[in-house]
Amino acid sequence: MKLEYVFYIDTKPEQVWDVLVNPEKSFKAFMGGVIQSTYQVGDDIQFVGPGVDGDETVHIYGKLLQYEPNRILSYTDHPGPSHYAEHAQMESRVTLSLELVGACTKLHLINDQWTEDNPLFSKTEQYWWMILSNIKTIAETGRSLDLGF
């Protein structure tokens, strides 16, 4: 099982990267979550934001697999403990890569290596379109989409 998306964004990779890692922008792009990480390969990565456990609810956690600023972010992905009791057994891999194409940025996302019978696959398939569209809009305009959340 694999989810794969390609978006072309009318700005440089540095601006797209800023939307991914700058908490003020990523909070909007990831619908209320920000990345917490040392950004050292092998260390933990979490997407944290308001939720059932308060303002620091862990929505996604995993290990950082690759990190090259303005180019690639890859990590293992587990749902937060408050979302599923069996969160530790539910895993996939997310790889976001950025490439300059002309004066635009090609954002390529692959979400693969899903554990068998992972119930998040179909839900994630719906949300990536919204998240990636939001990243594109924020990088190009500075505004986030009103997705009704």
Side-chain angles (χ1 to χ4, degrees):
M1 295 191 310
K2 175 169 92 168
L3 301 171
E4 186 168 10
Y5 308 88
V6 174
F7 276 67
Y8 289 87
I9 304 172
D10 189 20
T11 192
K12 303 259 186 263
E14 293 80 8
Q15 278 71 33
V16 179
W17 189 261
D18 191 46
V19 174
L20 298 176
V21 300
N22 178 332
E24 291 177 18
K25 295 177 183 176
S26 68
F27 185 82
K28 297 173 188 175
F30 292 106
M31 296 185 270
V34 297
I35 296 174
Q36 291 183 347
S37 179
T38 63
Y39 295 111
Q40 299 296 313
V41 172
D43 284 358
D44 293 336
I45 185 170
Q46 305 183 111
F47 288 78
V48 177
V52 297
D53 297 329
D55 287 345
E56 294 291 312
T57 298
V58 175
H59 296 287
I60 293 169
Y61 72 94
K63 294 288 183 190
L64 194 64
L65 302 172
Q66 286 183 279
Y67 181 82
E68 295 177 40
N70 305 314
R71 194 174 164 288
I72 193 162
L73 174 65
S74 183
Y75 55 91
T76 58
D77 183 303
H78 297 267
S82 62
H83 296 289
Y84 291 90
E86 63 280 1
H87 60 90
Q89 290 79 41
M90 300 166 64
E91 182 176 278
S92 68
R93 177 181 66 178
V94 174
T95 303
L96 279 153
S97 61
L98 305 177
E99 177 187 343
L100 188 63
V101 176
C104 298
T105 299
K106 176 183 175 183
L107 185 158
H108 185 193
L109 182 137
I110 298 174
N111 193 178
D112 62 358
Q113 296 185 2
W114 291 84
T115 51
E116 193 171 330
D117 299 323
N118 190 325
L120 286 179
F121 183 83
S122 60
K123 187 183 286 189
T124 302
E125 187 174 26
Q126 296 171 344
Y127 281 110
W128 272 131
W129 287 111
M130 289 186 273
I131 292 168
L132 295 171
S133 295
N134 215 10
I135 290 168
K136 176 177 170 51
T137 301
I138 293 166
E140 290 177 342
T141 71
R143 296 183 342 268
S144 63
L145 297 171
D146 181 353
L147 297 168
F149 298 110

